Structures are given as structure tokens and as C-alpha cells.
Amino acid sequence: VIRKYQMDIEGTDKKRIITNSIFVLLIISVGLYFRPMNISSLFDNTTVIKISYSNLGIADGETYINATGYYPLTEEEKTHMLSILSKYTYARKMSTIFSNGSSNGIGNEIILLYTKNKEKESQIICISSLNEIIVDNHVYAVKNSWKMIEEIKEIIDRK
């Protein structure tokens, strides 16, 4: 009788350990999936960056778009840009995994970063003033993107 109950207890412990282990792995996986990532990690020293700024709005009942051209950044400007971007992080949202690159709203200011790299494909990174960033056709959350846009605009205004 004692052995029979001992096996039931041991079997229950194994099931509980396995269930708890799966639960812990799930929590760790979710934590890793939603961890913040540094925006500057999208670039390396060999990346060529071109930048464009757009301001959207309505004036006197008419819509307008004020856009700058695609300016290639010098090495000094690129270094300054990367120092700005290193202060900000982006993170996945619940909808990121199903995202097709379309955003619910883009806000009134947009920065587009066109990148070329010898080792990777070219990509377009869109930073919206509504705290979103689009990378590789996936929408991510970024805090204080309007502040980042203001800092990046200083680089554009020097041109």
C-alpha cells in the first residue's frame, strides 16, 4: 500500500515539475520576445544612411506634405545620428508578429532612414511621431519618438 501511494506521489511530482518548467520557459520566452532593443543596433560602421523628413498636416482645409530629399549622411553626421539613436529603444508589440508593415497612424512627422550595407539587404526604417517605428515591415513601439525626431531634425537642418 505504501509503495502504491509513493508512486502516485512521485508521478505527481514529475508532472508538476514538467508543468512548472514549461510555464517558466514560456515566461522567459515572452520576456525575451518583448525585450527592448537598441535602435542603433540596426546599423553598423559599413552602413550607408540616407535620411528624409516629412511633415504632414492640414492648413486652411487643405492637406499638405512638406518633405525633404534623401540626404546621404557624412561620416560625422552618421556618428551623430547613431549617438542619438543609441539613446532610444524599440520593442515588439502584441501585433508585431502579425504586422505587415502598415501602421494605424503615422502622426504629423516622419523620418525615413534608407540604409545600404554590403552584407545585408537595403532596408527602410520609418520613425513616426506616434511612438512607432517600422523595421523590416514590422511595426514596433518606441517611446518618445517625437523627441528623437526633433534631435534628428537638427542634423537635417544643418544641410
Side-chain angles (χ1 to χ4, degrees), residues 29-44:
S29 297
V30 168
L32 288 175
Y33 181 77
F34 289 107
R35 79 185 186 288
M37 299 167 282
N38 199 310
I39 295 175
S40 63
S41 67
L42 297 169
F43 310 96
D44 62 20

Side-chain angles (χ1 to χ4, degrees), residues 43 49-54 67-71 73 81 106 109-115 123-128 133-134 149 152 156:
F43 310 96
I49 303 173
K50 292 183 179 182
I51 187 169
S52 175
Y53 167 77
S54 298
T68 62
Y70 306 114
Y71 298 113
L73 297 178
M81 165 86 79
I106 55 174
E109 293 182 301
I110 303 167
I111 294 280
L112 296 172
L113 302 174
Y114 301 88
T115 65
Q123 65 180 358
I124 298 173
I125 299 166
C126 177
I127 304 168
S128 158
I133 184 171
I134 301 173
I149 289 173
I152 294 173
I156 296 170

Side-chain angles (χ1 to χ4, degrees), residues 53 109 145-155:
Y53 167 77
E109 293 182 301
S145 63
W146 58 271
K147 193 175 180 183
M148 178 179 21
I149 289 173
E150 290 300 317
E151 291 182 56
I152 294 173
K153 274 182 16 183
E154 292 175 11
I155 296 172

Side-chain angles (χ1 to χ4, degrees), residues 6-7 10 24 26 38 50-51 65 68-69 74-75 88 91 96 111-112 114 142 155-156 158:
Q6 188 176 6
M7 285 191 69
E10 288 175 359
V24 168
L26 180 66
N38 199 310
K50 292 183 179 182
I51 187 169
I65 299 175
T68 62
T74 64
E75 285 301 315
Y88 297 93
T96 299
I111 294 280
L112 296 172
Y114 301 88
V142 61
I155 296 172
I156 296 170
R158 292 182 198 163

